Amino acid sequence: PGLGNQQGYVDLYVAHEQSHVPFQGFADYQGSSVSRVRVDVASKTITDLDVVLQPDEGFIRFCSAFMAGPEHGFPHYTFLVNEESNDVLPVPAGASYGPDPFLAPNRQAGYSVYLDTVTGKSGVLAGAGRHNHENQVIVPGWKKGIVALSGDDTFTAPSSQLYMFQSAS
């Protein structure tokens, strides 16, 4: 997903589905990350490339992503990305989330993660539950609050589920 502005460039946000936990025998040896690629519209060239959510924040296997904006009830554009995993992981120092009480000092993966494109702040949407999130899509038009739908990619068909998350803001 990407977003543009009136200053002659477009920002593209890219989720990297990395994991230090092996999956089908392969591992990237680092956590997932998100990059912002800035493209000059006139010259069609990349003018900036930044990692805006670092791999050391402890997230793994980022999957599909969604850019939510004012048309979805958000004050400004927010990048939503999800862990497509239910692995048990250590919690890195300074993480925006803590350990699960029954797994301390570890936590179960499967978070939906947000990245505010204006402030750069990121965190987890704990209320969206934890499962093998395929994507988190905001559904516009609800009378109260924000509604998101998420699929569960369990890797063992036909057991996938559809989840709905509703929040006042």
Side-chain angles (χ1 to χ4, degrees), residues 80-143:
L80 302 174
V81 64
N82 309 280
E83 290 183 305
E84 188 180 17
S85 174
N86 60 4
D87 290 308
V88 174
L89 309 164
V91 176
S96 61
Y97 52 86
D100 293 334
F102 61 95
L103 293 172
N106 298 318
R107 61 108 179 174
Q108 179 183 335
Y111 276 128
S112 279
V113 179
Y114 69 88
L115 173 66
D116 185 313
T117 64
V118 172
T119 66
K121 181 181 175 188
S122 64
V124 299
L125 298 171
R130 282 186 270 177
H131 55 272
N132 291 329
H133 284 277
E134 180 62 32
N135 202 345
Q136 187 89 336
V137 177
I138 306 300
V139 181
W142 290 80
K143 292 181 181 180

Short mmCIF file of all heavy atoms in Angstrom, two decimals, residues 80-143:
data_model
loop_
_atom_site.label_atom_id
_atom_site.label_comp_id
_atom_site.label_asym_id
_atom_site.label_seq_id
_atom_site.Cartn_x
_atom_site.Cartn_y
_atom_site.Cartn_z
N LEU A 80 -1.46 -0.99 8.58
CA LEU A 80 -1.80 -2.16 9.39
C LEU A 80 -1.14 -3.38 8.77
O LEU A 80 -1.32 -3.65 7.59
CB LEU A 80 -3.32 -2.35 9.45
CG LEU A 80 -4.12 -1.17 10.00
CD1 LEU A 80 -5.61 -1.44 9.86
CD2 LEU A 80 -3.75 -0.89 11.44
N VAL A 81 -0.40 -4.11 9.58
CA VAL A 81 0.30 -5.31 9.11
C VAL A 81 0.17 -6.36 10.19
O VAL A 81 -0.03 -6.04 11.36
CB VAL A 81 1.77 -4.98 8.74
CG1 VAL A 81 2.56 -4.53 9.95
CG2 VAL A 81 2.43 -6.10 7.99
N ASN A 82 0.28 -7.61 9.82
CA ASN A 82 -0.06 -8.69 10.74
C ASN A 82 0.97 -9.79 10.76
O ASN A 82 1.58 -10.11 9.74
CB ASN A 82 -1.39 -9.31 10.30
CG ASN A 82 -2.44 -8.26 10.09
OD1 ASN A 82 -3.03 -7.79 11.03
ND2 ASN A 82 -2.65 -7.86 8.85
N GLU A 83 1.12 -10.40 11.93
CA GLU A 83 1.97 -11.58 12.05
C GLU A 83 1.16 -12.80 11.62
O GLU A 83 0.13 -13.09 12.20
CB GLU A 83 2.43 -11.77 13.49
CG GLU A 83 3.40 -10.73 13.97
CD GLU A 83 3.86 -11.02 15.38
OE1 GLU A 83 3.00 -11.16 16.27
OE2 GLU A 83 5.07 -11.10 15.58
N GLU A 84 1.65 -13.49 10.64
CA GLU A 84 1.00 -14.72 10.19
C GLU A 84 1.72 -15.88 10.88
O GLU A 84 2.47 -16.63 10.28
CB GLU A 84 1.10 -14.83 8.67
CG GLU A 84 0.30 -15.96 8.11
CD GLU A 84 0.42 -16.05 6.60
OE1 GLU A 84 1.34 -15.46 6.01
OE2 GLU A 84 -0.43 -16.73 6.00
N SER A 85 1.48 -15.98 12.18
CA SER A 85 2.21 -16.95 12.99
C SER A 85 1.51 -17.14 14.33
O SER A 85 0.82 -16.25 14.80
CB SER A 85 3.64 -16.45 13.24
OG SER A 85 4.31 -17.30 14.13
N ASN A 86 1.73 -18.27 14.94
CA ASN A 86 1.31 -18.48 16.33
C ASN A 86 2.47 -19.06 17.14
O ASN A 86 2.26 -19.68 18.17
CB ASN A 86 0.06 -19.37 16.40
CG ASN A 86 0.29 -20.74 15.79
OD1 ASN A 86 1.40 -21.07 15.37
ND2 ASN A 86 -0.75 -21.55 15.74
N ASP A 87 3.71 -18.85 16.66
CA ASP A 87 4.90 -19.31 17.38
C ASP A 87 5.02 -18.64 18.74
O ASP A 87 4.49 -17.54 18.96
CB ASP A 87 6.17 -19.01 16.57
CG ASP A 87 6.27 -19.86 15.32
OD1 ASP A 87 6.17 -21.09 15.45
OD2 ASP A 87 6.44 -19.30 14.23
N VAL A 88 5.74 -19.26 19.65
CA VAL A 88 6.05 -18.67 20.95
C VAL A 88 7.46 -18.09 20.84
O VAL A 88 8.39 -18.76 20.43
CB VAL A 88 5.96 -19.73 22.07
CG1 VAL A 88 6.43 -19.14 23.39
CG2 VAL A 88 4.52 -20.23 22.19
N LEU A 89 7.58 -16.79 21.23
CA LEU A 89 8.80 -16.03 21.02
C LEU A 89 9.24 -15.30 22.28
O LEU A 89 8.39 -14.93 23.09
CB LEU A 89 8.57 -14.95 19.95
CG LEU A 89 7.96 -15.37 18.64
CD1 LEU A 89 7.45 -14.15 17.90
CD2 LEU A 89 9.00 -16.08 17.82
N PRO A 90 10.53 -15.00 22.40
CA PRO A 90 10.96 -14.12 23.49
C PRO A 90 10.53 -12.69 23.20
O PRO A 90 10.36 -12.30 22.04
CB PRO A 90 12.49 -14.25 23.46
CG PRO A 90 12.83 -14.75 22.10
CD PRO A 90 11.64 -15.52 21.61
N VAL A 91 10.34 -11.90 24.24
CA VAL A 91 9.98 -10.49 24.10
C VAL A 91 11.25 -9.67 24.20
O VAL A 91 11.94 -9.72 25.22
CB VAL A 91 8.98 -10.07 25.20
CG1 VAL A 91 8.68 -8.58 25.11
CG2 VAL A 91 7.70 -10.88 25.09
N PRO A 92 11.61 -8.92 23.14
CA PRO A 92 12.84 -8.14 23.20
C PRO A 92 12.71 -6.96 24.15
O PRO A 92 11.61 -6.46 24.39
CB PRO A 92 13.04 -7.66 21.75
CG PRO A 92 11.69 -7.72 21.14
CD PRO A 92 10.93 -8.80 21.86
N ALA A 93 13.83 -6.51 24.67
CA ALA A 93 13.85 -5.35 25.57
C ALA A 93 13.28 -4.14 24.83
O ALA A 93 13.57 -3.92 23.66
CB ALA A 93 15.27 -5.07 26.02
N GLY A 94 12.43 -3.37 25.51
CA GLY A 94 11.86 -2.17 24.93
C GLY A 94 10.72 -2.39 23.97
O GLY A 94 10.29 -1.46 23.30
N ALA A 95 10.21 -3.61 23.88
CA ALA A 95 9.12 -3.91 22.94
C ALA A 95 7.86 -3.14 23.33
O ALA A 95 7.66 -2.80 24.50
CB ALA A 95 8.82 -5.40 22.92
N SER A 96 7.00 -2.88 22.35
CA SER A 96 5.74 -2.16 22.60
C SER A 96 4.68 -3.07 23.22
O SER A 96 3.55 -2.66 23.39
CB SER A 96 5.22 -1.55 21.29
OG SER A 96 4.96 -2.58 20.35
N TYR A 97 5.04 -4.30 23.53
CA TYR A 97 4.14 -5.28 24.12
C TYR A 97 4.93 -6.04 25.18
O TYR A 97 6.16 -6.01 25.20
CB TYR A 97 3.62 -6.25 23.06
CG TYR A 97 4.74 -6.87 22.25
CD1 TYR A 97 5.39 -8.01 22.70
CD2 TYR A 97 5.19 -6.28 21.09
CE1 TYR A 97 6.45 -8.55 22.00
CE2 TYR A 97 6.25 -6.82 20.37
CZ TYR A 97 6.87 -7.95 20.83
OH TYR A 97 7.93 -8.47 20.14
N GLY A 98 4.23 -6.71 26.06
CA GLY A 98 4.90 -7.46 27.12
C GLY A 98 4.72 -8.96 26.92
O GLY A 98 4.09 -9.40 25.96
N PRO A 99 5.26 -9.73 27.84
CA PRO A 99 5.09 -11.18 27.75
C PRO A 99 3.66 -11.58 28.09
O PRO A 99 2.93 -10.83 28.75
CB PRO A 99 6.07 -11.72 28.79
CG PRO A 99 6.22 -10.61 29.77
CD PRO A 99 6.05 -9.34 28.99
N ASP A 100 3.26 -12.74 27.63
CA ASP A 100 1.98 -13.29 28.02
C ASP A 100 2.13 -13.88 29.41
O ASP A 100 3.11 -14.59 29.68
CB ASP A 100 1.54 -14.39 27.04
CG ASP A 100 1.24 -13.85 25.66
OD1 ASP A 100 0.89 -12.67 25.54
OD2 ASP A 100 1.36 -14.62 24.69
N PRO A 101 1.21 -13.61 30.33
CA PRO A 101 1.37 -14.07 31.70
C PRO A 101 1.64 -15.57 31.83
O PRO A 101 2.44 -15.98 32.64
CB PRO A 101 0.04 -13.69 32.36
CG PRO A 101 -0.47 -12.55 31.56
CD PRO A 101 -0.01 -12.82 30.15
N PHE A 102 1.00 -16.36 31.00
CA PHE A 102 1.18 -17.81 31.11
C PHE A 102 2.39 -18.31 30.34
O PHE A 102 2.72 -19.50 30.41
CB PHE A 102 -0.09 -18.54 30.65
CG PHE A 102 -0.47 -18.28 29.22
CD1 PHE A 102 -0.06 -19.15 28.21
CD2 PHE A 102 -1.20 -17.17 28.89
CE1 PHE A 102 -0.40 -18.90 26.89
CE2 PHE A 102 -1.54 -16.92 27.56
CZ PHE A 102 -1.13 -17.78 26.57
N LEU A 103 3.08 -17.42 29.60
CA LEU A 103 4.26 -17.80 28.83
C LEU A 103 5.51 -17.01 29.23
O LEU A 103 6.55 -17.15 28.60
CB LEU A 103 4.03 -17.58 27.33
CG LEU A 103 3.00 -18.47 26.66
CD1 LEU A 103 2.75 -17.99 25.23
CD2 LEU A 103 3.46 -19.90 26.65
N ALA A 104 5.39 -16.11 30.23
CA ALA A 104 6.50 -15.22 30.60
C ALA A 104 7.79 -16.00 30.77
O ALA A 104 7.77 -17.10 31.30
CB ALA A 104 6.15 -14.47 31.88
N PRO A 105 8.88 -15.48 30.21
CA PRO A 105 9.10 -14.16 29.62
C PRO A 105 8.82 -14.11 28.12
O PRO A 105 9.27 -13.21 27.44
CB PRO A 105 10.57 -13.91 29.88
CG PRO A 105 11.19 -15.28 29.74
CD PRO A 105 10.15 -16.24 30.31
N ASN A 106 8.04 -15.06 27.60
CA ASN A 106 7.75 -15.13 26.16
C ASN A 106 6.35 -14.62 25.86
O ASN A 106 5.59 -14.29 26.76
CB ASN A 106 7.89 -16.57 25.66
CG ASN A 106 9.30 -17.08 25.83
OD1 ASN A 106 10.26 -16.39 25.57
ND2 ASN A 106 9.42 -18.32 26.29
N ARG A 107 6.03 -14.61 24.58
CA ARG A 107 4.68 -14.25 24.14
C ARG A 107 4.35 -15.10 22.91
O ARG A 107 5.22 -15.59 22.21
CB ARG A 107 4.57 -12.77 23.81
CG ARG A 107 5.49 -12.30 22.67
CD ARG A 107 4.74 -12.00 21.44
NE ARG A 107 5.61 -11.53 20.35
CZ ARG A 107 5.20 -11.32 19.15
NH1 ARG A 107 3.95 -11.53 18.83
NH2 ARG A 107 6.00 -10.91 18.21
N GLN A 108 3.06 -15.25 22.65
CA GLN A 108 2.61 -15.93 21.45
C GLN A 108 2.52 -14.91 20.33
O GLN A 108 2.00 -13.81 20.51
CB GLN A 108 1.24 -16.57 21.66
CG GLN A 108 0.72 -17.28 20.42
CD GLN A 108 -0.66 -17.86 20.61
OE1 GLN A 108 -1.07 -18.15 21.72
NE2 GLN A 108 -1.38 -18.02 19.52
N ALA A 109 3.00 -15.26 19.14
CA ALA A 109 2.90 -14.38 17.98
C ALA A 109 1.46 -14.36 17.48
O ALA A 109 0.60 -15.05 18.01
CB ALA A 109 3.84 -14.86 16.88
N GLY A 110 1.22 -13.56 16.44
CA GLY A 110 -0.11 -13.47 15.86
C GLY A 110 -0.74 -12.11 16.04
O GLY A 110 -1.94 -11.95 15.86
N TYR A 111 0.06 -11.09 16.38
CA TYR A 111 -0.46 -9.75 16.57
C TYR A 111 -0.81 -9.06 15.26
O TYR A 111 -0.19 -9.31 14.23
CB TYR A 111 0.58 -8.85 17.25
CG TYR A 111 0.65 -8.95 18.75
CD1 TYR A 111 1.85 -9.19 19.40
CD2 TYR A 111 -0.48 -8.75 19.53
CE1 TYR A 111 1.93 -9.23 20.77
CE2 TYR A 111 -0.41 -8.81 20.91
CZ TYR A 111 0.79 -9.04 21.53
OH TYR A 111 0.87 -9.08 22.89
N SER A 112 -1.77 -8.14 15.34
CA SER A 112 -1.96 -7.11 14.31
C SER A 112 -1.17 -5.91 14.80
O SER A 112 -1.24 -5.55 15.98
CB SER A 112 -3.43 -6.72 14.18
OG SER A 112 -4.11 -7.65 13.40
N VAL A 113 -0.43 -5.31 13.91
CA VAL A 113 0.48 -4.21 14.27
C VAL A 113 0.08 -2.97 13.47
O VAL A 113 -0.30 -3.07 12.31
CB VAL A 113 1.94 -4.61 13.94
CG1 VAL A 113 2.91 -3.48 14.27
CG2 VAL A 113 2.32 -5.89 14.69
N TYR A 114 0.16 -1.80 14.13
CA TYR A 114 -0.11 -0.56 13.42
C TYR A 114 1.15 0.29 13.36
O TYR A 114 2.02 0.20 14.23
CB TYR A 114 -1.24 0.24 14.09
CG TYR A 114 -0.87 0.81 15.44
CD1 TYR A 114 -0.27 2.06 15.54
CD2 TYR A 114 -1.13 0.11 16.60
CE1 TYR A 114 0.09 2.58 16.77
CE2 TYR A 114 -0.79 0.62 17.84
CZ TYR A 114 -0.18 1.86 17.92
OH TYR A 114 0.18 2.37 19.14
N LEU A 115 1.25 1.09 12.31
CA LEU A 115 2.33 2.05 12.15
C LEU A 115 1.71 3.35 11.69
O LEU A 115 1.14 3.43 10.59
CB LEU A 115 3.35 1.55 11.12
CG LEU A 115 4.44 2.54 10.73
CD1 LEU A 115 5.37 2.83 11.92
CD2 LEU A 115 5.25 2.01 9.56
N ASP A 116 1.77 4.36 12.53
CA ASP A 116 1.24 5.68 12.21
C ASP A 116 2.21 6.35 11.24
O ASP A 116 3.37 6.57 11.58
CB ASP A 116 1.09 6.49 13.49
CG ASP A 116 0.44 7.83 13.29
OD1 ASP A 116 0.82 8.55 12.34
OD2 ASP A 116 -0.45 8.17 14.09
N THR A 117 1.75 6.66 10.03
CA THR A 117 2.67 7.20 9.01
C THR A 117 3.05 8.66 9.26
O THR A 117 3.98 9.15 8.65
CB THR A 117 2.06 7.08 7.60
OG1 THR A 117 0.89 7.89 7.52
CG2 THR A 117 1.75 5.63 7.27
N VAL A 118 2.35 9.34 10.16
CA VAL A 118 2.68 10.72 10.48
C VAL A 118 3.67 10.78 11.64
O VAL A 118 4.70 11.45 11.57
CB VAL A 118 1.41 11.55 10.79
CG1 VAL A 118 1.77 12.94 11.30
CG2 VAL A 118 0.55 11.64 9.54
N THR A 119 3.37 10.07 12.73
CA THR A 119 4.22 10.14 13.93
C THR A 119 5.32 9.09 13.94
O THR A 119 6.28 9.22 14.68
CB THR A 119 3.38 9.96 15.20
OG1 THR A 119 2.86 8.61 15.22
CG2 THR A 119 2.23 10.96 15.26
N GLY A 120 5.15 8.01 13.17
CA GLY A 120 6.11 6.91 13.21
C GLY A 120 5.89 5.95 14.37
O GLY A 120 6.59 4.95 14.50
N LYS A 121 4.89 6.24 15.21
CA LYS A 121 4.60 5.37 16.35
C LYS A 121 4.03 4.04 15.86
O LYS A 121 3.24 4.00 14.93
CB LYS A 121 3.61 6.05 17.29
CG LYS A 121 3.27 5.23 18.51
CD LYS A 121 2.26 5.93 19.40
CE LYS A 121 1.88 5.00 20.54
NZ LYS A 121 0.78 5.50 21.34
N SER A 122 4.46 2.97 16.52
CA SER A 122 3.91 1.65 16.20
C SER A 122 3.52 0.94 17.48
O SER A 122 3.98 1.29 18.56
CB SER A 122 4.92 0.82 15.41
OG SER A 122 6.05 0.55 16.21
N GLY A 123 2.68 -0.06 17.35
CA GLY A 123 2.26 -0.85 18.49
C GLY A 123 1.36 -1.97 18.03
O GLY A 123 1.17 -2.18 16.83
N VAL A 124 0.81 -2.68 18.98
CA VAL A 124 -0.04 -3.83 18.65
C VAL A 124 -1.51 -3.49 18.93
O VAL A 124 -1.81 -2.69 19.81
CB VAL A 124 0.37 -5.10 19.43
CG1 VAL A 124 1.78 -5.49 19.08
CG2 VAL A 124 0.24 -4.90 20.93
N LEU A 125 -2.38 -4.10 18.16
CA LEU A 125 -3.82 -4.01 18.38
C LEU A 125 -4.22 -5.28 19.13
O LEU A 125 -4.70 -6.25 18.53
CB LEU A 125 -4.56 -3.91 17.05
CG LEU A 125 -4.24 -2.68 16.20
CD1 LEU A 125 -4.85 -2.80 14.82
CD2 LEU A 125 -4.69 -1.41 16.90
N ALA A 126 -3.99 -5.28 20.43
CA ALA A 126 -4.20 -6.49 21.23
C ALA A 126 -5.64 -6.99 21.13
O ALA A 126 -5.89 -8.19 21.13
CB ALA A 126 -3.81 -6.22 22.68
N GLY A 127 -6.60 -6.08 21.02
CA GLY A 127 -8.00 -6.47 20.94
C GLY A 127 -8.37 -7.21 19.67
O GLY A 127 -9.43 -7.83 19.59
N ALA A 128 -7.51 -7.15 18.66
CA ALA A 128 -7.78 -7.85 17.40
C ALA A 128 -7.45 -9.33 17.51
O ALA A 128 -7.64 -10.08 16.56
CB ALA A 128 -6.97 -7.22 16.26
N GLY A 129 -7.01 -9.75 18.67
CA GLY A 129 -6.71 -11.16 18.89
C GLY A 129 -5.41 -11.57 18.26
O GLY A 129 -4.75 -10.80 17.58
N ARG A 130 -5.03 -12.81 18.54
CA ARG A 130 -3.81 -13.35 17.96
C ARG A 130 -4.12 -14.66 17.28
O ARG A 130 -4.65 -15.58 17.88
CB ARG A 130 -2.74 -13.52 19.03
CG ARG A 130 -2.12 -12.18 19.36
CD ARG A 130 -0.98 -12.32 20.29
NE ARG A 130 -1.52 -12.23 21.64
CZ ARG A 130 -0.80 -12.36 22.73
NH1 ARG A 130 0.48 -12.62 22.64
NH2 ARG A 130 -1.34 -12.26 23.90
N HIS A 131 -3.81 -14.67 16.01
CA HIS A 131 -3.94 -15.87 15.19
C HIS A 131 -3.05 -15.67 13.98
O HIS A 131 -2.35 -14.67 13.89
CB HIS A 131 -5.41 -16.13 14.82
CG HIS A 131 -6.10 -15.00 14.15
ND1 HIS A 131 -6.76 -14.00 14.83
CD2 HIS A 131 -6.26 -14.70 12.85
CE1 HIS A 131 -7.29 -13.15 13.98
NE2 HIS A 131 -6.99 -13.55 12.76
N ASN A 132 -3.07 -16.58 13.06
CA ASN A 132 -2.26 -16.46 11.84
C ASN A 132 -2.93 -15.44 10.92
O ASN A 132 -3.51 -15.79 9.90
CB ASN A 132 -2.15 -17.81 11.13
CG ASN A 132 -1.31 -18.80 11.88
OD1 ASN A 132 -0.38 -18.43 12.58
ND2 ASN A 132 -1.62 -20.06 11.74
N HIS A 133 -2.82 -14.16 11.27
CA HIS A 133 -3.48 -13.09 10.52
C HIS A 133 -3.00 -13.07 9.07
O HIS A 133 -1.82 -12.89 8.81
CB HIS A 133 -3.16 -11.71 11.12
CG HIS A 133 -3.91 -11.39 12.36
ND1 HIS A 133 -5.19 -10.89 12.34
CD2 HIS A 133 -3.56 -11.48 13.65
CE1 HIS A 133 -5.58 -10.67 13.57
NE2 HIS A 133 -4.61 -11.03 14.39
N GLU A 134 -3.92 -13.26 8.16
CA GLU A 134 -3.58 -13.10 6.74
C GLU A 134 -3.61 -11.62 6.37
O GLU A 134 -2.77 -11.14 5.64
CB GLU A 134 -4.55 -13.90 5.87
CG GLU A 134 -4.28 -13.79 4.39
CD GLU A 134 -2.93 -14.31 3.96
OE1 GLU A 134 -2.42 -15.26 4.58
OE2 GLU A 134 -2.37 -13.76 3.00
N ASN A 135 -4.59 -10.90 6.89
CA ASN A 135 -4.69 -9.47 6.64
C ASN A 135 -5.68 -8.89 7.65
O ASN A 135 -6.45 -9.63 8.27
CB ASN A 135 -5.16 -9.20 5.21
CG ASN A 135 -4.78 -7.81 4.73
OD1 ASN A 135 -4.42 -6.95 5.51
ND2 ASN A 135 -4.87 -7.60 3.43
N GLN A 136 -5.65 -7.58 7.81
CA GLN A 136 -6.59 -6.86 8.67
C GLN A 136 -7.16 -5.75 7.79
O GLN A 136 -6.44 -4.82 7.46
CB GLN A 136 -5.86 -6.28 9.88
CG GLN A 136 -6.74 -5.65 10.89
CD GLN A 136 -7.22 -6.66 11.93
OE1 GLN A 136 -7.27 -7.85 11.70
NE2 GLN A 136 -7.56 -6.17 13.07
N VAL A 137 -8.40 -5.88 7.36
CA VAL A 137 -9.00 -4.93 6.43
C VAL A 137 -10.07 -4.12 7.17
O VAL A 137 -10.97 -4.70 7.77
CB VAL A 137 -9.62 -5.67 5.22
CG1 VAL A 137 -10.33 -4.70 4.29
CG2 VAL A 137 -8.56 -6.45 4.48
N ILE A 138 -9.96 -2.81 7.10
CA ILE A 138 -10.95 -1.94 7.72
C ILE A 138 -12.14 -1.81 6.77
O ILE A 138 -11.98 -1.55 5.58
CB ILE A 138 -10.37 -0.54 8.01
CG1 ILE A 138 -9.09 -0.66 8.85
CG2 ILE A 138 -11.40 0.35 8.69
CD1 ILE A 138 -9.26 -1.33 10.19
N VAL A 139 -13.34 -1.99 7.31
CA VAL A 139 -14.57 -1.93 6.52
C VAL A 139 -15.22 -0.58 6.79
O VAL A 139 -15.68 -0.32 7.90
CB VAL A 139 -15.53 -3.08 6.91
CG1 VAL A 139 -16.79 -3.02 6.06
CG2 VAL A 139 -14.84 -4.42 6.78
N PRO A 140 -15.25 0.32 5.78
CA PRO A 140 -15.84 1.64 6.01
C PRO A 140 -17.37 1.57 6.07
O PRO A 140 -17.98 0.61 5.60
CB PRO A 140 -15.38 2.44 4.78
CG PRO A 140 -15.17 1.41 3.73
CD PRO A 140 -14.73 0.15 4.44
N GLY A 141 -17.96 2.61 6.67
CA GLY A 141 -19.40 2.76 6.62
C GLY A 141 -20.15 2.31 7.86
O GLY A 141 -21.37 2.38 7.88
N TRP A 142 -19.48 1.86 8.90
CA TRP A 142 -20.19 1.45 10.11
C TRP A 142 -20.65 2.69 10.87
O TRP A 142 -19.98 3.71 10.90
CB TRP A 142 -19.29 0.58 10.98
CG TRP A 142 -19.07 -0.76 10.34
CD1 TRP A 142 -18.18 -1.03 9.34
CD2 TRP A 142 -19.74 -1.97 10.60
NE1 TRP A 142 -18.27 -2.34 8.97
CE2 TRP A 142 -19.22 -2.95 9.74
CE3 TRP A 142 -20.75 -2.33 11.49
CZ2 TRP A 142 -19.66 -4.26 9.73
CZ3 TRP A 142 -21.18 -3.64 11.48
CH2 TRP A 142 -20.64 -4.59 10.61
N LYS A 143 -21.79 2.58 11.51
CA LYS A 143 -22.36 3.75 12.19
C LYS A 143 -21.58 4.13 13.44
O LYS A 143 -21.49 5.29 13.78
CB LYS A 143 -23.83 3.48 12.55
CG LYS A 143 -24.71 3.40 11.32
CD LYS A 143 -26.14 3.16 11.69
CE LYS A 143 -26.97 3.05 10.42
NZ LYS A 143 -28.36 2.82 10.68
#
